Amino acid sequence: PAGAVSLRRCSTRVTLEGVNRPVIDRIIRVDHAGEYGANRIYAGQMAVLGRSSVGPIIQQMWNQEKDHLKKFNELMVAYRVRPTVLLPFWNVAGFVLGAGSALLGRKGAMACTVAVEESISDHYNSQIRTLMEEDPEKYKELLQIIKQFRDDEREHHDIGLEHDAEAAPAYSVLKTAIQLGCKAAIFLSERI
Amino acid sequence: MQVVRCQLAPPQRALQASAVLRRVSDELKEPLGSSSQQQFDSHPADHQPEQQPQGPRPSYTGQGGQESEDYESEEQLQHRILTAALEFVPEHGWTAEAIAEGAKTLGLSVAAAGMFHSDGSELILHFVSQCNTKLSELLEQEQKLVQLGEAEKKPTDQFLRDAVEARLRMLIPYIEKWPQALSILLLPHNIPSSLNLLTSMIDDIWHYAGDQSTDFNWYTRRAVLTGIYNTTELVMMQDSSPDFEETWRFLENRVADATNMGNTADQVQSTGEAVVQGLMGAAVTIKNLTGLNQRR
């Protein structure tokens, strides 16, 4: 029937011509893994501290991470990027990290948030630099998204600090350990 | 579009070989009265029939300061030779002889076969890459038709069956010699390329089937389809039924198995979740009954 022709625009498809595949692949894969892990971390924290006074704040940050993950899911399909094999592992590791840090108390949870969000924003910053060096015009949309997310993560970092993250037990040790873990996770997710 | 370049012979050897065969072919191309293939009014400057405009690609034929009209790159020349060689595969197999015959039809010297490995690897990889490209184009066109509303969107299992069948049918003209090709593709020095070609083909099929998974399913689906494709290919090698009916039936069964597996996995997961819910409910009830659930 002529009237019922629906020209469904390929809205999930992005022009893949001229895109630097290896670079974009890595960026999207690792960012997707990162948001997935962050989701699980907050889930772990909520499981322990959900009914405490910081529950609503963690919930709010978690909701933002869920949005981030959704966005990267879309980008992943659009750019035809494969997800990292380690996703099941990040699933468990993230939850354990979140729950573990929350068991150290609210400050412990906040310290974990500060450490992770700082790692992530540094990481987003270096990706922004890479994309700017490549071709700011071609990757305009991606750049916009990453900049927005970087700002969100910075905000989470600041919220963590506001809620006495630095007063957590063994703060500097905790922070260093977590950030080391994040660096390893980023390295692996980019490649595998 | 996924195009993978075949392994190329060491560039220097190929460079010299190609320059040599160009000069040889130039000499051979002088219009001979007895040759029925040559044009009798050919211009002396005209060499092989012109291919598509090459653009800024470097020409390797300028060694004697003489440049030919078609600025063809090394790689494009190799492509042309290999494509021409495919015609001779049913007769000679995936060998240097087939490549030599192919080169002859293009008016080049048989020494052109020296540009390639003696085991016919590049010819096979070139063929596989061509088939994959054809499949992609086919799937792309089908997708366009569906988007324009001129065709129905197929259910996933039907789509997968049709895509794998279409791809395997491309082997039919070469089916006699295909087992030989498969064994060559499994040689260690060919495995990276052949694996690459296989995975990108499977990824293409899933992409056009509408796969949007971003979790571990991405891997599961591709692994399953790779298994289906490989086993069906092997069955096809030994199938002697008319138009390979047995093979397509085998394919249908395997795809049905895979779909069932997926459904069963979903069912198991739902059951598991239901059981967990039940246990949680029981635990809460017990806590209530024993008064452990009071907030203090």
Side-chain angles (χ1 to χ4, degrees), chain A residues 17-34:
Chain A
E17 306 299 324
V19 159
N20 187 341
R21 293 312 306 270
V23 166
I24 299 295
D25 259 16
R26 273 194 177 187
I27 288 182
I28 295 185
R29 178 162 49 250
V30 75
D31 288 350
H32 174 262

Side-chain angles (χ1 to χ4, degrees), chain B residues 73-292:
Chain B
S73 80
E74 193 61 31
E75 211 180 306
Q76 284 168 327
L77 176 66
Q78 291 186 338
H79 264 265
R80 280 205 300 136
I81 296 178
L82 292 176
T83 309
L86 287 177
E87 200 187 313
F88 300 94
V89 166
E91 192 188 328
H92 295 281
W94 305 92
T95 55
E97 279 96 48
I99 302 179
E101 294 290 327
K104 271 205 321 215
T105 58
L106 293 179
L108 300 169
S109 147
V110 299
M115 268 200 280
F116 307 99
H117 272 126
S118 56
D119 59 0
S121 301
E122 284 105 337
L123 183 55
I124 304 172
L125 290 170
H126 172 83
F127 172 65
V128 171
S129 169
Q130 253 192 352
C131 289
N132 290 355
T133 312
K134 269 197 275 190
L135 180 68
S136 295
E137 284 165 10
L138 188 69
L139 294 176
E140 177 75 41
Q141 281 183 344
E142 263 184 38
Q143 190 186 52
K144 283 209 176 78
L145 288 180
V146 170
Q147 283 181 335
L148 293 175
E150 287 171 23
E152 286 297 314
K153 186 161 167 31
K154 294 184 206 170
T156 311
D157 55 349
Q158 177 75 42
F159 184 93
L160 295 178
R161 264 172 33 212
D162 290 345
V164 172
E165 186 180 330
R167 177 63 179 77
L168 286 175
R169 279 190 182 274
M170 297 181 198
L171 299 178
I172 293 182
Y174 307 93
I175 197 91
E176 305 272 307
K177 308 286 181 184
W178 193 243
Q180 176 197 8
L182 282 180
S183 58
I184 293 179
L185 283 177
L186 286 173
L187 291 175
H189 68 90
N190 284 332
I191 290 197
S193 322
S194 64
L195 212 52
N196 206 341
L197 286 170
L198 178 64
T199 50
S200 58
M201 185 230 334
I202 297 288
D203 181 46
D204 254 0
I205 296 181
W206 268 120
H207 168 78
Y208 286 106
D211 176 40
Q212 302 208 328
S213 46
T214 52
D215 53 4
F216 203 73
N217 264 326
W218 192 95
Y219 290 92
T220 329
R221 288 184 180 177
R222 279 151 184 76
V224 166
L225 188 58
T226 309
I228 295 178
Y229 179 84
N230 282 338
T231 47
T232 313
E233 196 179 19
L234 290 175
V235 164
M236 197 176 168
M237 298 298 104
Q238 295 163 334
D239 189 7
S240 49
S241 60
D243 195 37
F244 299 94
E245 287 167 355
E246 294 291 323
T247 308
W248 312 136
R249 203 168 316 141
F250 177 86
L251 175 60
E252 192 178 331
N253 289 336
R254 294 295 75 72
V255 171
D257 283 347
T259 322
N260 278 340
M261 215 167 54
N263 289 341
T264 315
D266 286 340
Q267 280 175 355
V268 165
Q269 192 178 13
S270 327
T271 314
E273 277 168 13
V275 166
V276 166
Q277 296 273 22
L279 289 175
M280 298 278 278
V284 169
T285 312
I286 293 177
K287 270 167 65 175
N288 283 340
L289 288 175
T290 55
L292 281 174

Side-chain angles (χ1 to χ4, degrees), chain A residues 5-8 10 12-13 32 51 73 76-77 80 82-85 87-88 192, chain B residues 1-2 140 143 147-149 203-204 207-208 211-216 218-219 295:
Chain A
V5 165
S6 56
L7 255 177
R8 196 198 90 203
C10 225
T12 52
R13 258 300 211 46
H32 174 262
R51 281 183 290 177
N73 280 337
M76 190 164 250
V77 172
R80 290 182 66 173
R82 95 183 144 79
T84 165
V85 217
L87 278 181
I192 330 184
Chain B
M1 190 170 74
Q2 318 255 356
E140 177 75 41
Q143 190 186 52
Q147 283 181 335
L148 293 175
D203 181 46
D204 254 0
H207 168 78
Y208 286 106
D211 176 40
Q212 302 208 328
S213 46
T214 52
D215 53 4
F216 203 73
W218 192 95
Y219 290 92
R295 261 189 193 266

